[in-house]
């Protein structure tokens, strides 16, 4: 009988910090999108809006999930707090990169429009 209660206690001792893990995976997906942009610049030129919007969404998911994970990790004795911090920092960097890409893309379009206008 005591073996059954020990197994039940061991099973309930497994703690999961789900928000931290969600934030970690969203941040990882955003970093992979940055790597995809660097490794395949032609695809970014064709599908730039998709890459930029996906990076922004990954950052927008990673930041609140990271904050929730940090708070929950504090209650769980520090479980996955590092992953949550990674999600927060990477999420902000993803949003910064996506806004930078948006400004660069708008500047490129404005510059091309100016060149076409001055050629006529």
């Amino acid at each position: 009988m005591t073996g059954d209660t020990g197994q039940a206690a061991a099973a309930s001792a497994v703690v999961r910090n789900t928000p931290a893990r969600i934030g970690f995976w969203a941040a990882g997906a955003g970093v992979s999108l940055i790597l995809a942009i660097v490794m395949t610049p032609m695809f970014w030129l064709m599908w730039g809006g998709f890459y930029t919007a996906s990076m922004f969404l990954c950052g927008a998911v990673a930041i609140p999930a990271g904050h929730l994970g940090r708070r929950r990790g504090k209650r769980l004795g520090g479980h996955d707090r590092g992953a949550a911090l990674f999600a927060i920092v990477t999420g902000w960097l993803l949003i910064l990169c996506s806004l930078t890409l948006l400004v660069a893309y708008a500047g490129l379009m404005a510059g091309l429009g100016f060149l076409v206008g001055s050629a006529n």
Side-chain angles (χ1 to χ4, degrees):
M1 198 62 66
T2 58
D4 293 334
T5 57
Q7 290 175 353
S12 66
V14 175
V15 291
R16 291 197 171 103
N17 193 347
T18 306
R21 292 179 185 201
I22 289 172
F24 181 78
W25 284 104
V31 169
S32 68
L33 283 169
I34 290 176
L35 292 175
I37 288 171
V38 170
M39 298 188 75
T40 58
M42 182 57 106
F43 287 136
W44 183 79
L45 290 174
M46 293 182 341
W47 301 99
F50 173 73
Y51 281 118
T52 306
S54 297
M55 273 191 344
F56 186 83
L57 289 175
C58 286
V61 167
I63 292 169
H67 282 291
L68 289 173
R70 292 278 291 177
R71 181 174 291 175
R72 186 159 184 209
K74 189 183 231 181
R75 286 187 285 152
L76 295 175
H79 189 67
D80 282 341
R81 287 191 83 195
L85 182 62
F86 173 77
I88 294 168
V89 171
T90 308
W92 281 112
L93 289 174
L94 286 171
I95 288 180
L96 178 70
C97 286
S98 64
L99 292 177
T100 302
L101 284 172
L102 182 68
V103 168
Y105 192 69
L108 178 68
M109 290 296 123
L112 288 175
F114 179 74
L115 285 176
V116 169
S118 66
N120 290 336

